Amino acid sequence: MARIAGVNIPTTKRVVIGLTYVFGIGPAKAQQICTQLGIPPERRVNEMSDDEILKVRELIDRDYRVEGDLRRELAMNVKRLMDLGCYRGLRHRRGLPVRGQRTHTNARTRKGKAVAIAGKKKVTK
């Protein structure tokens, strides 16, 4: 099993797909890495030589920000917004949608499970 940037890459998948298991590398970057190193797109991870795996690992370490570093940077960006007290930071702080979505209905992913309000039953006549 190949280990790149602290992530075990599945051996039976193609290299382009396997690289996307690393946080911060999507399909486009994975394709770019393969063409840069001359790895054919149909090659599987278990067919790669140790030399090729080493080249991929070195390229990712040198040119890309992935996994822990990227997660830390994203967390710091959110923390900076919250410390500034800007509108986006306040939305992050309150756990509400940040990018202008409606909250009257929807937004359940951000707001969490709906909580019933007591004393709001309809009165029947």
Side-chain angles (χ1 to χ4, degrees):
M1 185 170 268
R3 192 163 174 84
I4 297 171
V7 176
N8 292 329
I9 306 297
T11 55
T12 56
K13 297 195 183 284
R14 293 187 302 126
V15 177
V16 178
I17 303 301
L19 284 175
T20 62
Y21 280 65
V22 178
F23 183 78
I25 296 180
K29 278 188 186 174
Q31 187 69 48
Q32 186 181 15
I33 289 168
C34 288
T35 54
Q36 201 171 345
L37 293 175
I39 298 170
E42 66 275 352
R43 181 166 297 161
R44 306 263 169 189
V45 174
N46 57 4
E47 296 170 356
M48 290 176 70
S49 66
D50 291 337
D51 186 45
E52 286 176 324
I53 293 172
L54 186 65
K55 282 181 182 176
V56 169
R57 192 177 299 137
E58 287 173 351
L59 179 77
I60 289 173
D61 288 344
R62 185 180 67 234
D63 295 344
Y64 297 98
R65 190 174 294 123
V66 292
E67 284 299 325
D69 294 336
L70 181 60
R71 289 181 205 271
R72 196 173 309 109
E73 183 181 331
L74 295 176
M76 290 303 293
N77 290 342
V78 172
K79 187 178 181 319
R80 178 180 54 83
L81 290 171
M82 289 166 62
D83 291 344
L84 279 173
C86 65
Y87 182 77
R88 281 173 58 202
L90 295 177
R91 302 298 282 184
H92 274 293
R93 203 178 298 163
R94 293 182 185 150
L96 293 169
V98 177
R99 296 187 176 177
Q101 298 91 331
R102 67 182 288 133
T103 56
H104 178 71
T105 60
N106 304 337
R108 279 292 142 217
T109 303
R110 268 309 267 182
K111 290 168 74 173
K113 191 162 170 48
V115 180
I117 300 169
K120 271 264 189 154
K121 289 186 177 179
K122 287 186 180 176
V123 180
T124 56
K125 291 184 181 181

